[in-house]
Amino acid sequence: MAEYLRRMPDSGDAFRRSSTVWSVLKLDPWLLSGLLALAGFGLTVLNSAVDGSNAAIQRQSVYLLIGFCGMLVAAQIPVYRYARLAPWMYLIGILALVSVLFLGVGAKGAQRWLSLGGFRFQPSEIMKLAVPLTVAWYLAKRSLPPNPKYVGATLILMGLPAVLIFLQPDLGTAILVAVSGFFVLFLAGLSWRYLLTAAGIVLASIWPLWSFVMKDYQRQRVLTLLDPESDRLGAGWNIIQSKTAIGSGGWSGKGYMQGTQTLLDFLPESHTDFIIAVLAEEYGLQGVLWLVMLYLFICLRGFWISYTAQSTYGRLVGASITLTFFVYVFVNMGMVAGILPVVGVPLPLVSAGGTSIVTLLAGFGILMAISQDKRQVN
Amino acid sequence: MAAERNLLKDANREGRIFTDRLVVTLVIFAVMLGLIVIRYYHLQIVDHAIYATQSDQNRLQTQPLPPRRGLIRDRAGRLIAENEPSFVLSVVVERTGGLDEIIERLQQIIELSDDDVAAFQRRRPSTRPYAPVPLKFRISEHERARIAVNSHELPGVEIEAQLIRSYPLADLFAHAVGYVGRINERELQTLPEGPYEGTFHIGKTGIEKYYESVLLGQVGVQTVETDARGRIMRLVEKTPPVPGKDLTLNLDADLQLAAAQALQGQRGAVVAIDPRDGGVLALYSSPSFDPNSFVNGISFNEYAELRDSPDVPLFNRALQGQYPPGSTVKPAIGLAGLHMGLVTPQSKVADPGWYTLPGDDRRYRDWVLRIRGRGHADKVDLHMAIAESCDVYFYDLARTMTVDRMHDFLQDFNLGARTGVDTTNERPGVLPSSEWKLQNRGRPWYPGETLSVGIGQGYMLATPMQLALMTSVLANRGYAYKPSLVAEVDGVVPETERLQLPDIEPSHWQAVIEGMEAVVHERSGTAHAMAKGLQYRVASKTGTAQVIGIAQDEEYDEDEIAERHRNHGLFIAFAPVEAPTIALAVIVENGGGSSAAVPVARAVLDAWLANPDKGVMRHVGLASNG
């Protein structure tokens, strides 16, 4: 594969030079406008969620700035380099995850952060990119569809970090990291027979997972999802309050900065994981649909880039990043609306939070690199 | 090269596989997107109304606004029961996070006794969730400041201004007006919930209890917008409470004061009634106590002291004390004799100092025998019998009248039954008859017992309130109004019931009242000592109630008998005789005889008739000095 990529090094130089500003910057204008619109919309909603607190808005703006810079940098790196970088990134990520278990900084009973010179970061975030990149690197080198041996190896590649993240414990991220690897496998042509078998195994493992692996609070979250009223003031509070916020928004919403659930502190984590409820309360279903359309636009553009990518590696990475991004959106909107367990997944580019924004935008940087890759080939 | 071709061939195939998978992915993608949109559509459009209501309920909290309790004033408008602002420390248990830690922390900040905490724990189960439970009353300015400074580490702790009942005249009206106290668990079970929302106190005794529904007022409601921690952000709607109605009493602080001072250091009671309308002018029981102690829960020690005192200060002698009325019933019995035609004002009875029933040796002695060694005179008529309180005359009258006729007549004076005065815990006394004895003692009536009843002894018992009412009937010559402590409810005069005696000839009234006038105004009258300096004419009757029976041959020697066994001194009076405006009854327990009660009556009568500017303020100092 690497050989294949190296065969066409400078053939696109002339084309590139004569091309638009976007090809000079190696950015995809459609994707960029979608992301900027989303970030702007997100900041507006966040402003309401934090009740106009300048500090929080500034912090988020800085993260977005860093994220977009990171995206710009990521877009400059030729796609084939990611294939080489991926295994190293993966190894560093694994080491970081192991050290988190021993040296991690805790919050709410979980150790998720590493503290480096006063700067906290979450190694599991690295894995959100490292796993699909590494799995794609591994599979793209081999002839596809993958044979059982490759499938097994892929499962180990995605399973190891997932287990380490699960031990922190962070069930939501563990599943999402594993899923991002699985998407690559699926897109690479994992046979339906394996898929059905896997589904069977997952179903069969539900009971032992429930009984032996899950922690009490995780079980509680699932139970609370099934019956939020059972613990109105405890675990059920969040879901009841977020559903109330969403539902009371109606079609047109209560108005910007007018959401009573948010203003009066009924909505928990309103500026992080539950921020969609703020949007739904203040802008109504209209606002939710606008947001969904923005996500739809970004995803479709992402799929288009993957579809037109010139290398199998590019296709797998691009589609996997896009799909993972969408799964984040789906899980977050689903959990806040009470159809999925509360697993602590932020709403991409809208929820306050640094690492997640930087990782997501870096992912889109890679997508942009892929979008430039095809022009090199042409 | 072969490998390269293989790779390229693979790439095409991979491209096809990828495209297939992308199509599948897009289908799944569309389904997930659809699910989300449907879910939000359902929440925001289909169930919008439900969640909008829920959101309103969330932020809108309905809070009760307790009404101001009605004020109580005396007839001159002086405040007897008022409401003082006071700060209460409450805890919303659900918001504390950990109750024990909060209480521990509070104990470090302010003085919080174990009693406070125990009472708080008792109150807790009966409180609604998220409602503040009072932990300490009467928070000082200093304590408020300390809590305010530390409020960030005291979640769920609230300080609220409340109006707390206070009795500025302290012990002066304790028995007449009663007091409010905190609603206890038993009351919580029986009280309707609505009217007492936000109210911590309820009338426990006296007027405070009897007029509870009038004084309470109506609870108001305010709807406020609160955040998830219950902090009030905005007032949305308010229905103000309706304050309780104010009461104006017939009671007069000056008369109360006169009674209190005259009774100081003694056990006794005074009840004074305006016979013209039944208004109770004075109702005092000595010793008294400070009702303020009960408002927020009296301490155990303070209560034990009141409860265990041999003087029983909590006992309302004016309404609950049942005493043999002694000779104070003689005017009524004399009237009965005249009315029944058993005697005339001129008819006389021989008085050797004792009386014997026909066919019986037992000598029923007259009280005067011990002093003079003989009777009041050879022959005694009604006038003298009343003025000098001649027992023999009334022994004879009682015998001819029989106990049952005496019972029927005295019943018209409301003896043996509650007067129905508008307060609590009144006792009925006893007006014996042969039937009563059979029912209550299971024995037949003995003739000797009739003689005892004739001089107000034996089974006969009356409360000072009953005696005052009886005196009102005498003052009005045949009728009286049901005694009432309250003159006006919010400016409205309540209707009064009338007590009516059968028609009795005016000359009969005249004869009896002249006898009563002689008690004070004739030299031989038993209360002639009172005549000195008197500015009005009084009709009265002295009385002595035996506390222990004296055997026939024993001498009654006051000094040798323990103070607690001495006779009670009684006195009834009305004045001025020509147009009575006050009728009263006084008892001084173990006062020895009526001589102890007469000065008390004089003080009260003077306060009403002769000394209108006696200030009440002096007593305020008196009370605070203890």
Side-chain angles (χ1 to χ4, degrees):
Chain A
M1 184 70 175
E3 296 290 321
Y4 166 70
L5 286 169
R6 240 177 272 130
R7 273 198 310 112
M8 34 200 80
D10 302 311
S11 55
D13 273 5
F15 179 82
R16 222 187 313 162
R17 236 175 270 120
S18 68
S19 185
T20 61
V21 59
W22 300 114
S23 54
V24 173
L25 290 170
K26 302 198 177 179
L27 293 178
D28 179 69
W30 299 104
L31 203 49
L32 182 66
S33 12
L35 291 170
L36 283 172
L38 182 60
F41 196 17
L43 268 181
T44 319
V45 178
L46 184 69
N47 187 48
S48 182
V50 297
D51 203 6
S53 151
N54 285 328
I57 293 300
Q58 276 167 15
R59 209 180 311 127
Q60 182 80 345
S61 306
V62 168
Y63 280 129
L64 282 169
L65 202 67
I66 294 171
F68 276 103
C69 291
M71 184 181 78
L72 193 66
V73 171
Q76 308 311 310
I77 301 169
V79 177
Y80 68 87
R81 285 205 190 276
Y82 284 107
R84 288 184 180 168
L85 277 171
W88 297 108
M89 214 172 134
Y90 182 85
L91 274 177
I92 292 166
I94 293 288
L95 285 175
L97 282 175
V98 171
S99 51
V100 138
L101 293 178
F102 298 103
L103 308 166
V105 186
K108 291 181 188 170
Q111 294 194 328
R112 294 176 187 177
W113 288 273
L114 269 186
S115 191
L116 289 178
F119 176 73
R120 279 174 140 203
F121 86 107
Q122 218 173 328
S124 54
E125 285 292 333
I126 300 178
M127 285 325 227
K128 285 180 180 172
L129 279 178
V131 165
L133 285 175
T134 309
V135 173
W137 159 78
Y138 176 80
L139 288 177
K141 280 201 301 186
R142 281 145 185 94
S143 82
L144 299 176
N147 65 29
K149 201 178 88 186
Y150 301 161
V151 172
T154 306
L155 288 177
I156 292 166
L157 274 179
M158 55 192 248
L160 181 63
V163 167
L164 288 171
I165 294 168
F166 176 76
L167 290 175
Q168 288 182 354
D170 187 352
L171 180 65
T173 311
I175 290 174
L176 285 170
V177 164
V179 160
S180 66
F182 171 78
F183 286 152
V184 180
L185 191 57
F186 174 74
L187 291 163
L190 175 68
S191 86
W192 291 105
R193 205 161 32 133
Y194 290 144
L195 215 55
L196 288 174
T197 315
I201 290 169
V202 167
L203 283 177
S205 61
I206 285 176
W207 183 77
L209 239 139
W210 176 266
S211 312
F212 305 114
V213 184
M214 282 175 83
K215 295 225 162 33
D216 272 345
Y217 83 95
Q218 291 162 335
R219 265 176 271 191
Q220 188 56 51
R221 277 184 179 176
V222 178
L223 287 177
T224 303
L225 174 85
L226 298 175
D227 182 18
E229 306 289 325
S230 67
D231 186 13
R232 282 196 66 95
L233 298 169
W237 170 271
N238 291 9
I239 292 169
I240 291 169
Q241 295 304 336
S242 68
K243 275 165 67 182
T244 305
I246 295 167
S248 63
W251 167 249
S252 48
K254 295 176 184 171
Y256 186 52
M257 305 281 283
Q258 299 294 312
T260 53
Q261 288 284 107
T262 316
L263 285 177
L264 303 174
D265 274 353
F266 283 99
L267 191 66
E269 300 175 49
S270 60
H271 62 292
T272 55
D273 292 355
F274 282 74
I275 196 162
I276 182 72
V278 178
L279 172 90
E281 186 184 19
E282 300 194 342
Y283 295 78
L285 185 58
Q286 284 179 54
V288 173
L289 291 179
W290 277 111
L291 183 78
V292 166
M293 280 191 277
L294 263 178
Y295 281 128
L296 179 65
F297 175 78
I298 291 167
C299 290
L300 290 179
R301 184 65 190 168
F303 286 131
W304 178 253
I305 290 171
S306 314
Y307 178 65
T308 53
Q310 288 307 295
S311 64
T312 304
Y313 184 72
R315 282 178 211 136
L316 293 182
V317 169
S320 168
I321 287 174
T322 308
L323 197 50
T324 308
F325 173 77
F326 176 70
V327 166
Y328 281 28
V329 175
F330 176 76
V331 170
N332 179 276
M333 289 184 74
M335 86 183 188
V336 176
I339 49 171
L340 288 175
V342 178
V343 284
V345 172
L347 185 64
L349 296 181
V350 178
S351 288
T355 348
S356 138
I357 285 173
V358 175
T359 316
L360 283 164
L361 286 175
F364 282 107
I366 296 170
L367 261 176
M368 290 188 184
I370 294 166
S371 76
Q372 296 303 310
D373 189 35
K374 71 175 178 241
R375 298 181 191 210
Q376 289 175 15
V377 175
N378 290 345
Chain B
M1 277 302 138
E4 253 176 43
R5 271 199 306 277
N6 193 32
L7 267 172
L8 285 171
K9 185 180 152 270
D10 278 351
N12 284 336
R13 192 183 169 204
E14 282 164 16
R16 272 201 323 277
I17 294 171
F18 178 78
T19 309
D20 287 351
R21 290 299 162 103
L22 197 59
V23 169
V24 174
T25 303
L26 282 171
V27 170
I28 297 169
F29 174 86
V31 169
M32 286 161 88
L33 206 64
L35 262 176
I36 286 293
V37 170
I38 289 168
R39 176 61 176 172
Y40 279 77
Y41 174 83
H42 197 85
L43 287 174
Q44 301 197 271
I45 306 297
V46 179
D47 286 344
H48 169 65
I50 298 169
Y51 289 109
T53 313
Q54 206 163 307
S55 163
D56 279 349
Q57 281 171 351
N58 240 346
R59 67 192 176 90
L60 298 180
Q61 221 183 61
T62 305
Q63 297 178 328
L65 295 171
R68 175 184 71 81
R69 195 172 176 86
L71 304 176
I72 303 178
R73 293 188 174 88
D74 86 339
R75 66 185 304 124
R78 290 168 289 211
L79 271 174
I80 291 164
E82 61 177 328
N83 305 302
E84 274 188 341
S86 164
F87 290 92
V88 181
L89 176 74
S90 306
V91 177
V92 180
V93 179
E94 289 80 359
R95 297 207 167 97
T96 54
L99 181 62
D100 293 344
E101 294 97 79
I102 292 294
I103 287 179
E104 210 171 287
R105 188 77 194 96
L106 276 171
Q107 275 171 329
Q108 290 162 6
I109 297 170
I110 59 163
E111 202 183 307
L112 199 60
S113 72
D114 291 344
D115 273 4
D116 288 333
V117 178
F120 168 80
Q121 296 290 11
R122 279 198 304 276
R123 250 170 255 141
R124 264 187 66 195
S126 46
T127 317
R128 282 175 300 132
Y130 284 91
V133 186
L135 174 58
K136 192 183 178 186
F137 294 81
R138 287 177 198 269
I139 295 289
S140 71
E141 200 73 33
H142 179 68
E143 287 172 317
R144 274 171 63 202
R146 297 205 57 158
I147 289 164
V149 167
N150 293 288
S151 63
H152 61 282
E153 48 183 44
L154 296 169
V157 172
E158 293 175 357
I159 291 188
E160 227 182 314
Q162 260 192 3
L163 289 174
I164 297 285
R165 199 63 153 177
S166 95
Y167 303 99
L169 299 182
D171 51 303
L172 199 51
F173 283 88
H175 287 116
V177 170
Y179 51 83
V180 300
R182 289 210 216 116
I183 296 169
N184 61 34
E185 276 129 279
R186 192 160 29 92
E187 286 160 339
L188 266 174
Q189 306 292 318
T190 53
L191 282 177
E193 215 173 276
Y196 283 90
E197 283 290 329
T199 303
F200 293 103
H201 293 87
I202 187 169
K204 296 279 187 180
T205 64
I207 287 171
E208 291 276 30
K209 183 176 183 181
Y210 191 87
Y211 285 95
E212 175 63 28
S213 58
V214 173
L215 289 165
L216 176 65
Q218 268 172 38
V219 68
V221 178
Q222 75 176 5
T223 308
V224 289
E225 192 174 275
T226 61
D227 66 11
R229 285 173 201 83
R231 288 178 301 216
I232 294 172
M233 314 295 279
R234 192 165 67 88
L235 178 67
V236 179
E237 200 185 12
K238 185 173 174 178
T239 310
V242 180
K245 291 178 178 158
D246 293 349
L247 301 182
T248 303
L249 304 183
N250 285 309
L251 290 168
D252 186 300
D254 289 329
L255 268 64
Q256 290 288 107
L257 176 62
Q261 284 175 335
L263 279 169
Q264 206 164 29
Q266 303 178 93
R267 294 177 304 282
V270 175
V271 175
I273 294 174
D274 185 338
R276 293 169 299 180
D277 58 10
V280 178
L281 304 173
L283 188 154
Y284 189 80
S285 174
S286 175
S288 189
F289 60 92
D290 186 352
N292 292 303
S293 307
F294 285 85
V295 174
N296 279 312
I298 190 165
S299 78
F300 182 78
N301 287 338
E302 203 181 339
Y303 184 70
E305 203 177 299
L306 286 172
R307 183 195 55 198
D308 300 337
S309 162
D311 292 338
V312 244
L314 295 176
F315 182 58
N316 185 353
R317 292 170 163 82
L319 294 171
Q320 294 176 283
Q322 302 182 111
Y323 307 94
S327 306
T328 59
V329 295
K330 282 173 182 170
I333 292 170
L335 189 70
L338 294 171
H339 183 63
M340 293 171 194
L342 302 173
V343 291
T344 66
Q346 290 73 40
S347 57
K348 292 187 175 181
V349 172
D351 176 15
W354 68 82
Y355 188 76
T356 52
L357 284 168
D360 190 354
D361 308 341
R362 186 188 154 128
R363 285 184 171 183
Y364 294 86
R365 294 183 294 185
D366 194 302
W367 65 274
V368 88
L369 185 67
R370 179 173 61 87
I371 297 159
R372 302 189 200 160
R374 55 181 176 82
H376 295 270
D378 289 347
K379 294 264 184 180
V380 175
D381 65 2
L382 179 67
H383 185 86
M384 184 190 243
I386 292 174
E388 297 185 24
S389 198
C390 174
D391 289 342
V392 171
Y393 183 91
F394 286 97
Y395 289 148
D396 187 58
L397 182 53
R399 184 185 61 80
T400 52
M401 197 181 297
T402 75
V403 69
D404 290 331
R405 289 176 77 189
M406 200 150 55
H407 167 270
D408 292 348
F409 191 83
L410 291 182
Q411 218 169 22
D412 291 335
F413 283 87
N414 203 70
L415 290 171
R418 290 180 178 88
T419 64
V421 65
D422 48 349
T423 185
T424 55
N425 294 327
E426 189 189 10
R427 287 205 190 152
V430 176
L431 180 61
S433 64
S434 54
E435 191 192 328
W436 172 88
K437 193 185 171 194
L438 204 62
Q439 271 176 11
N440 290 275
R441 300 291 149 102
R443 300 243 173 106
W445 190 265
Y446 302 124
E449 291 168 341
T450 308
L451 304 195
S452 296
V453 174
I455 59 161
Q457 301 280 355
Y459 298 114
M460 196 173 185
L461 293 174
T463 64
M465 176 57 78
Q466 287 174 323
L467 295 180
L469 178 59
M470 177 186 77
T471 312
S472 303
V473 180
L474 291 167
N476 287 337
R477 304 183 182 214
Y479 69 93
Y481 295 97
K482 188 168 94 177
S484 68
L485 290 162
V486 170
E488 288 177 5
V489 177
D490 234 10
V492 179
V493 183
E495 270 182 53
T496 47
E497 267 174 58
R498 204 171 130 124
L499 178 74
Q500 181 72 51
L501 255 64
D503 276 342
I504 291 167
E505 239 181 78
S507 66
H508 295 162
W509 283 110
Q510 193 56 35
V512 168
I513 287 166
E514 274 171 14
M516 289 179 75
E517 262 187 282
V519 171
V520 167
H521 297 284
E522 282 179 17
R523 193 169 299 277
S524 59
T526 46
H528 182 61
M530 185 177 149
K532 197 181 171 198
L534 202 61
Q535 296 165 26
Y536 43 87
R537 285 189 72 80
V538 183
S540 66
K541 184 68 197 80
T542 54
T544 302
Q546 275 183 11
V547 174
I548 53 168
I550 308 289
Q552 191 174 355
D553 299 319
E554 261 179 80
E555 288 288 301
Y556 178 95
D557 186 344
E558 213 172 272
D559 298 332
E560 284 179 16
I561 297 172
E563 198 261 351
R564 299 274 159 179
H565 293 159
R566 280 184 211 160
N567 292 338
H568 299 324
L570 291 126
F571 192 65
I572 61 165
F574 63 84
V577 176
E578 33 319 329
T581 60
I582 182 168
L584 60 70
V586 177
I587 180 156
V588 177
E589 281 184 18
N590 312 116
S594 59
S595 57
V598 174
V600 177
R602 171 74 191 263
V604 175
L605 290 172
D606 275 356
W608 184 244
L609 296 168
N611 201 358
D613 25 75
K614 202 170 209 171
V616 77
M617 296 316 289
R618 267 184 297 158
H619 183 81
V620 178
L622 195 100
S624 57
N625 291 339

